[in-house]
Amino acid sequence: MRPEVEKVLDSIRPALQADGGDVELVDIDGGVVKVRLMGACGGCPMATMTLKGGIEAALKERIRPSNGWNPYNPLTHSEGGVMAYKITEECIACGACVPECPAQCIAEGDPIYTIDASKCTDCAACAGVCPTAACVPA
Ligand code: SF4
Ligand code: SF4
């Protein structure tokens, strides 16, 4: 996953360098990305905000669980987040998505299958096997 993280940091770097700073990837340990702010950023009182608001948000947005690595615990609907999939009327009730769901949140319904949004982790595994593209982000 290091190349993907580097790519995200590279996309942020020009904005940091414009202010005389930079960011360096130190380590990825157990899904935790450690970075070092350098130059003007290192001693800047806004550094924490830069880390939280800019770098962390970019990593969360652009490195998705479907890449095989979950860099964070996505919020579910029940926790006040918006990350979940839903099943549309395109569903032909084939059942292919059920065994693919790591959260076991897909159930047989009438007439279409349904997703328990409070358990869905937004992994997109269901979308990968659905023959009718009925699994879509909610
Ligand atoms: S996105 Fe993932 S967790 Fe959510 S319903 Fe589909 S397979 Fe299950
Ligand atoms: S794989 Fe698609 S068509 Fe099959 S049950 Fe799931 S949502 Fe419906």
Side-chain angles (χ1 to χ4, degrees), residues 85 100-103 105-106 115 120-126:
Y85 268 59
E100 300 301 319
C101 178
C105 59
I106 304 176
I115 290 173
C120 176
T121 60
D122 193 42
C123 74
C126 51

Side-chain angles (χ1 to χ4, degrees), residues 24-107:
E24 175 188 54
L25 177 59
V26 177
D27 194 18
I28 301 174
D29 184 11
V32 176
V33 177
K34 296 176 184 171
V35 299
R36 181 181 297 126
L37 288 174
M38 298 180 296
C41 292
C44 174
M46 298 291 282
T48 305
M49 277 183 70
T50 303
L51 262 177
K52 290 297 285 182
I55 300 173
E56 186 180 298
L59 287 169
K60 283 183 175 180
E61 185 188 324
R62 292 169 51 188
I63 299 182
R64 309 298 294 169
S66 53
N67 286 356
W69 177 59
N70 189 345
Y72 61 105
N73 295 317
L75 288 175
T76 63
H77 277 287
S78 64
E79 293 166 327
V82 292
M83 306 193 76
Y85 268 59
K86 66 178 180 182
I87 292 175
T88 68
E89 290 176 357
E90 306 299 314
C91 174
I92 55 170
C94 72
C97 54
V98 175
E100 300 301 319
C101 178
Q104 299 180 333
C105 59
I106 304 176

